[in-house]
Amino acid sequence: MQHTISVLVENKPGVLTRVTSLFARRGFNIDSLAVGETEDPSISRITVVTGAESVPLEQITKQVYKLINVIKVTTLTPHDSISRELAMFKVICPPERRHEVFAIVNVFEAKVVDVSKDSVMVEATGTTDKLESLEDIFKGYGIKEMARTGVIALSRGSKEK
């Protein structure tokens, strides 16, 4: 089972290394990692998705909280949070097949952001499942390049800032 952990940290050099090193030392694989500044430029949010079991997960969240520069650690569940990911696909697409790819883009509420002689670049946001489905479909056409941001997530409502 995957778990999403949101870590608010001081926006200083080396903080990301300290957090990810802790995961590595405990033997937890990081499935997804996204970092960015919050509405306060002195604070960054690190969103980590890991496959850790529940008991060790509680231990690791406590250990992350003890790190220097860590302000707050929150475990987010699908019920109490919204998560999204961004992906860009450069799909092999000769002109005679563009209408097929454009139809798929419309169904997935994605965007075509570039068209070249033999490829189309598509930008998509959504849940990890949605992006994996889109990736599976595009594999049938051939993916030249792909980039994904990793999951970002916030708690619902006014529970947390």
Side-chain angles (χ1 to χ4, degrees):
M1 179 176 179
Q2 289 196 322
H3 302 280
T4 303
I5 302 168
S6 176
V7 185
L8 290 176
V9 298
E10 293 175 21
N11 191 6
K12 293 184 175 177
V15 176
L16 177 62
T17 301
R18 279 194 283 279
V19 172
T20 56
S21 294
L22 181 81
F23 278 80
R25 284 193 310 269
R26 300 294 178 224
F28 292 112
N29 187 38
I30 294 176
D31 298 324
S32 170
L33 177 69
V35 183
E37 212 174 79
T38 65
E39 68 283 357
D40 180 347
S42 68
I43 298 174
S44 291
R45 181 182 305 273
I46 302 172
T47 305
V48 179
V49 177
T50 182
E53 296 299 321
S54 60
V55 173
L57 179 69
E58 183 180 335
Q59 291 172 355
I60 202 159
T61 56
K62 288 179 181 175
Q63 290 173 354
V64 169
Y65 185 70
K66 290 178 184 175
L67 292 173
I68 296 171
N69 306 115
V70 171
I71 299 166
K72 186 173 187 174
V73 180
T74 307
T75 303
L76 301 172
T77 66
H79 178 71
D80 66 4
S81 65
I82 302 290
S83 64
R84 295 289 183 267
E85 189 174 350
L86 168 69
M88 294 179 72
F89 303 94
K90 191 181 291 182
V91 181
I92 297 169
C93 183
E96 62 272 11
R97 297 194 75 186
R98 284 201 181 130
H99 67 283
E100 296 172 28
V101 171
F102 287 11
I104 293 165
V105 166
N106 285 334
V107 168
F108 280 86
E109 298 178 344
K111 286 188 218 172
V112 173
V113 292
D114 188 50
V115 176
S116 70
K117 189 171 74 176
D118 62 346
S119 67
V120 172
M121 188 182 306
V122 176
E123 167 191 303
T125 59
T127 63
T128 300
D129 290 342
K130 175 185 170 183
L131 298 181
E132 287 174 355
S133 296
L134 189 57
E135 180 184 340
D136 286 343
I137 291 170
F138 284 154
K139 281 180 180 173
Y141 291 87
I143 298 174
K144 282 179 136 180
E145 292 180 69
M146 183 179 87
R148 292 174 70 160
T149 60
V151 174
I152 58 170
L154 290 175
S155 62
R156 292 180 183 262
S158 59
K159 285 184 176 177
E160 178 184 304
K161 182 176 158 183

